[in-house]
Amino acid sequence: MEYEAIIRLEVHAQLLTESKIFCGCSTTFGAPPNSNTCPVCTGLPGVLPVLNHRVVEFALRAALATHCQIARTSRWARKNYFYPDLPKGYQISMYESPIAQQGYLDLTLNGQSKRVRLTRIHMEEDAGKNIHDTSSDASLVDFNRAGVPLLEIVSEPDLRTAEEAGAYLRSLRALLQYLEVCDGNMEEGSLRCDANISVRPRGRTEFGTKTEIKNLNSFRAVEKALHYEITRQSETLASGGRIVQETRLWDADREVTRPMRSKEFAHDYRYFPDPDLLPLSVEDDWVQAVKATLPELPAERRDRLMRQYGLPAYDAEVLTARKDVADYYEAAVRTYPADPKAISNWVMDSVLRVVKDAKLDAGLRITTWPCPPEHLGTLVRLIGEGTISGKIAKTVFDAMRTSGKAPDTLIAEQGLSQVSDAGALEAQIAQVLAAHPDKVAEYRAGRERLLPFFVGQVMKATQSKANPQLLNELLKKKLAE
Ligand SMILES: [Zn+2]
């Protein structure tokens, strides 16, 4: 029997506001424990929450960019549960009346596009953090994160494979980064994901029993945990077993999911409207004003890059995955508009490789680029004009990174210009041919496969500075004599 997975993701995105959602405390990550706290976010008696206007604005940005219907009136709810990192004994969230519903996100995977429906987007406050110190056997709690604003973005069960779930999460992260509402850093926990998953025999329409997987703190973890869980559930059902509805934890070291607790239901939380906060009313003017500030979004930009520069879909996808990468690419193309595809290759192969190796892409913005986009544009122009070869360009690129100098300066300083002088090349060719009379004879007897050998020898003699096109031409002429 073949099984099909049904996956729904619940994503929590920490918002990049400077202060918390219901008080004026700073949201700065990494501050000393409990330094960003006040009576409101530590839940002291008698305090009242005051809503941060900017949090609603960020929620509207995300809702508009995902084509959601925005509720003119929505309501705050208390989600009641006990945990030491939750000082009030409840979390302020939204329940039956969220700010946004019924949106969608389009993703592309292996050249195919797929629409994933969004059930809802709502705002809520984050909890603090428990720290279990094994050396002193103490449990500590840090409330710096308590009250940091979150968006919860819930998809419909439209995803069918682990790869689709990964692609959805990547698209969503790119979108939130474009909107500048979340930095998308999964390692620091500013983007978190829980996955609901069930399997059913292919062809059946009703859903099977689902489990929820927590602790997915990287794209790799999401995909691996889903693969594991799809296999586990399918094998359980195939052998006549039963799936238990429960919350499972992804163990990244052992690469397995294991039971954490039986799945809670909504009624376990005793939701009720928060009496300390008025219903949230969003006027149409405000929605329109936020709409007017939305940037060009990743999907639109991808299509435009393909149209405007004739880029393949793959290139456009890679370049628009981050707004700053797309900005960098377009700045380089403005320096040298004659060959947008060559610039795309350089950005993907060289620039992004350095960025990834040095982990310069952890935050919302890449702060240190290997070189300014203008220098990259100039480098590609110098290759296009035949001043340097592609091979030498790699050397120049590395020197640009370490010195910060412009490519033309480096080429002049290090004498890296290509030898395009036919006379000089002919002299080098003559030397090479004289040194290898046997090979020349073989070539002339019909072994034309030897041409690259001669090219290599001349290149070696010129330290790779020979203009390859001219060299090929001259060599063939000389060998035909
Ligand atoms: Zn506070």
Side-chain angles (χ1 to χ4, degrees):
M1 175 116 42
E2 217 194 316
Y3 291 92
E4 171 186 57
I6 309 290
I7 302 165
R8 186 174 72 91
L9 295 188
E10 243 179 66
V11 172
H12 286 95
Q14 234 173 44
L15 297 179
L16 284 170
T17 53
E18 283 175 31
S19 55
K20 294 186 179 181
I21 183 168
F22 297 120
C23 63
C25 291
S26 164
T27 55
T28 311
F29 181 81
N34 296 306
S35 58
N36 294 338
T37 55
C38 74
V40 174
C41 56
T42 49
L44 297 191
V47 297
L48 284 173
V50 176
L51 178 60
N52 182 340
H53 187 268
R54 198 124 171 95
V55 172
V56 184
E57 187 192 314
F58 281 10
L60 290 175
R61 285 173 81 82
L64 286 166
T66 50
H67 319 276
C68 282
Q69 289 179 19
I70 291 165
R72 291 300 176 256
T73 306
S74 51
R75 204 151 54 159
W76 299 98
R78 288 188 180 180
K79 181 180 182 179
N80 298 281
Y81 66 94
F82 171 78
Y83 207 61
D85 64 8
L86 191 73
K88 296 195 295 290
Y90 62 85
Q91 176 193 27
I92 304 177
S93 179
M94 295 183 129
Y95 181 55
E96 77 281 293
S97 181
I99 188 165
Q101 296 186 77
Q102 296 178 333
Y104 63 83
L105 184 69
D106 288 331
L107 58 91
T108 50
L109 181 63
N110 306 325
Q112 300 271 315
S113 90
K114 170 163 180 141
R115 177 158 295 181
V116 178
R117 293 168 299 154
L118 300 186
T119 316
R120 58 190 278 149
I121 296 181
H122 73 246
M123 298 166 277
E124 61 186 27
E125 59 179 345
D126 209 344
K129 225 179 206 169
N130 290 324
I131 299 145
H132 305 290
D133 183 358
T134 43
S135 63
S136 66
D137 217 15
S139 280
L140 307 165
V141 62
D142 176 5
F143 289 127
N144 280 351
R145 203 177 67 180
V148 166
L150 296 177
L151 276 192
E152 181 173 315
I153 301 156
V154 183
S155 81
E156 288 283 301
D158 287 350
L159 300 159
R160 292 291 172 272
T161 63
E163 291 71 26
E164 276 185 12
Y168 166 81
L169 197 56
R170 283 188 181 86
S171 299
L172 183 59
R173 180 172 80 153
L175 188 68
L176 295 171
Q177 288 176 330
Y178 265 69
L179 297 169
E180 302 191 347
V181 299
C182 172
D183 67 19
N185 189 330
M186 292 190 84
E187 286 72 33
E188 286 182 6
S190 44
L191 192 73
R192 312 198 284 265
C193 171
D194 301 331
N196 279 278
I197 171 165
S198 62
V199 300
R200 65 182 176 196
R202 197 174 289 280
R204 197 172 290 177
T205 48
E206 67 267 34
F207 293 161
T209 305
K210 68 178 182 213
T211 59
E212 184 177 14
I213 320 175
K214 298 225 176 243
N215 198 30
L216 301 171
N217 51 18
S218 69
F219 289 106
R220 230 171 99 84
V222 171
E223 291 179 355
K224 282 198 155 183
L226 285 171
H227 272 300
Y228 177 87
E229 194 60 15
I230 291 168
T231 308
R232 187 190 71 86
Q233 291 190 12
S234 304
E235 284 174 355
T236 304
L237 292 182
S239 62
R242 203 170 62 83
I243 304 298
V244 181
Q245 177 159 337
E246 63 189 353
T247 301
R248 297 176 72 89
L249 204 65
W250 172 243
D251 182 335
D253 296 328
R254 291 168 49 223
E255 301 199 340
V256 296
T257 65
R258 50 187 166 78
M260 183 175 144
R261 57 171 187 250
S262 63
K263 173 87 181 103
E264 69 281 5
F265 295 89
H267 63 245
D268 291 331
Y269 290 116
R270 304 294 192 272
Y271 281 101
F272 65 88
D274 193 310
D276 287 345
L277 287 156
L278 289 168
L280 173 65
S281 148
V282 176
E283 305 286 337
D284 205 42
D285 288 358
W286 193 12
V287 176
Q288 293 312 321
V290 172
K291 202 172 194 169
T293 66
L294 291 187
E296 184 183 32
L297 298 174
E300 300 162 15
R301 196 162 190 182
R302 186 187 61 225
D303 293 348
R304 180 172 63 75
L305 257 53
M306 290 169 68
R307 236 179 14 250
Q308 190 173 341
Y309 305 117
L311 291 181
Y314 175 80
D315 294 45
E317 189 72 38
V318 173
L319 297 172
T320 56
R322 287 181 65 109
K323 180 171 181 291
D324 50 5
V325 172
D327 289 345
Y328 180 95
Y329 169 72
E330 293 208 83
V333 171
R334 277 194 292 279
T335 306
Y336 181 56
D339 198 347
K341 173 59 181 151
I343 293 181
S344 163
N345 293 344
W346 273 88
V347 172
M348 293 194 299
D349 300 341
S350 302
V351 176
L352 290 182
R353 182 178 47 77
V354 174
V355 165
K356 290 228 158 65
D357 288 352
K359 293 194 165 60
L360 303 170
D361 55 353
L364 184 60
R365 271 179 246 286
I366 295 169
T367 43
T368 327
W369 289 93
C371 66
E374 295 75 22
H375 287 181
L376 187 77
T378 307
L379 183 73
V380 178
R381 175 172 61 76
L382 293 168
I383 306 166
E385 290 171 350
T387 309
I388 50 169
S389 65
K391 196 170 170 210
I392 290 288
K394 300 263 180 214
T395 315
V396 177
F397 178 77
D398 288 337
M400 279 156 60
R401 273 172 54 204
T402 45
S403 68
K405 289 181 182 170
D408 12 22
T409 312
L410 288 162
I411 292 164
E413 277 177 9
Q414 301 181 20
L416 294 170
S417 279
Q418 202 156 245
V419 181
S420 297
D421 168 7
L425 277 183
E426 273 168 350
Q428 294 284 1
I429 290 169
Q431 276 186 26
V432 166
L433 297 191
H436 301 280
D438 45 339
K439 293 261 186 339
V440 174
E442 275 184 61
Y443 179 94
R444 285 180 175 151
R447 278 196 71 191
E448 294 189 356
R449 284 188 293 128
L450 280 171
L451 186 69
F453 166 78
F454 297 112
V455 172
Q457 291 298 312
V458 180
M459 277 295 185
K460 212 162 122 190
T462 59
Q463 280 123 37
S464 301
K465 283 186 274 179
N467 178 325
Q469 237 174 328
L470 183 62
L471 171 60
N472 263 289
E473 221 170 275
L474 294 174
L475 252 175
K476 279 189 193 159
K477 214 172 89 191
K478 209 77 190 149
L479 284 162
E481 277 171 8

mmCIF file of all heavy atoms in Angstrom, residues 20 23 25 37-38 40-41, ligand 1:
data_model
loop_
_atom_site.group_PDB
_atom_site.id
_atom_site.type_symbol
_atom_site.label_atom_id
_atom_site.label_comp_id
_atom_site.label_asym_id
_atom_site.label_seq_id
_atom_site.Cartn_x
_atom_site.Cartn_y
_atom_site.Cartn_z
ATOM 1 N N LYS A 20 8.575 45.609 23.111
ATOM 2 C CA LYS A 20 7.701 44.441 23.220
ATOM 3 C C LYS A 20 6.258 44.777 22.838
ATOM 4 O O LYS A 20 5.917 45.933 22.609
ATOM 5 C CB LYS A 20 7.784 43.899 24.654
ATOM 6 C CG LYS A 20 9.171 43.343 25.011
ATOM 7 C CD LYS A 20 9.166 42.681 26.376
ATOM 8 C CE LYS A 20 10.559 42.114 26.711
ATOM 9 N NZ LYS A 20 10.563 41.447 28.031
ATOM 10 N N CYS A 23 4.399 46.340 26.353
ATOM 11 C CA CYS A 23 5.109 47.262 27.260
ATOM 12 C C CYS A 23 6.263 47.877 26.478
ATOM 13 O O CYS A 23 6.505 47.515 25.335
ATOM 14 C CB CYS A 23 5.627 46.516 28.500
ATOM 15 S SG CYS A 23 6.849 45.243 28.140
ATOM 16 N N CYS A 25 9.518 47.651 27.036
ATOM 17 C CA CYS A 25 10.829 47.006 27.185
ATOM 18 C C CYS A 25 11.457 46.702 25.827
ATOM 19 O O CYS A 25 10.761 46.393 24.865
ATOM 20 C CB CYS A 25 10.688 45.692 27.955
ATOM 21 S SG CYS A 25 10.251 45.934 29.671
ATOM 22 N N THR A 37 13.090 43.799 31.294
ATOM 23 C CA THR A 37 11.814 43.415 31.909
ATOM 24 C C THR A 37 11.223 44.579 32.690
ATOM 25 O O THR A 37 11.931 45.525 33.044
ATOM 26 C CB THR A 37 11.999 42.241 32.890
ATOM 27 O OG1 THR A 37 13.006 42.604 33.843
ATOM 28 C CG2 THR A 37 12.407 40.967 32.185
ATOM 29 N N CYS A 38 9.917 44.501 32.927
ATOM 30 C CA CYS A 38 9.214 45.510 33.717
ATOM 31 C C CYS A 38 8.026 44.817 34.384
ATOM 32 O O CYS A 38 7.783 43.626 34.138
ATOM 33 C CB CYS A 38 8.757 46.661 32.817
ATOM 34 S SG CYS A 38 7.349 46.224 31.765
ATOM 35 N N VAL A 40 4.967 44.831 33.676
ATOM 36 C CA VAL A 40 3.978 44.293 32.730
ATOM 37 C C VAL A 40 4.409 42.930 32.192
ATOM 38 O O VAL A 40 3.660 41.957 32.277
ATOM 39 C CB VAL A 40 3.734 45.276 31.551
ATOM 40 C CG1 VAL A 40 2.812 44.661 30.501
ATOM 41 C CG2 VAL A 40 3.148 46.589 32.063
ATOM 42 N N CYS A 41 5.647 42.848 31.680
ATOM 43 C CA CYS A 41 6.046 41.594 31.041
ATOM 44 C C CYS A 41 6.479 40.530 32.041
ATOM 45 O O CYS A 41 6.700 39.383 31.662
ATOM 46 C CB CYS A 41 7.072 41.820 29.939
ATOM 47 S SG CYS A 41 8.553 42.687 30.433
HETATM 48 ZN ZN ZN B 1 8.224 44.952 29.962
#
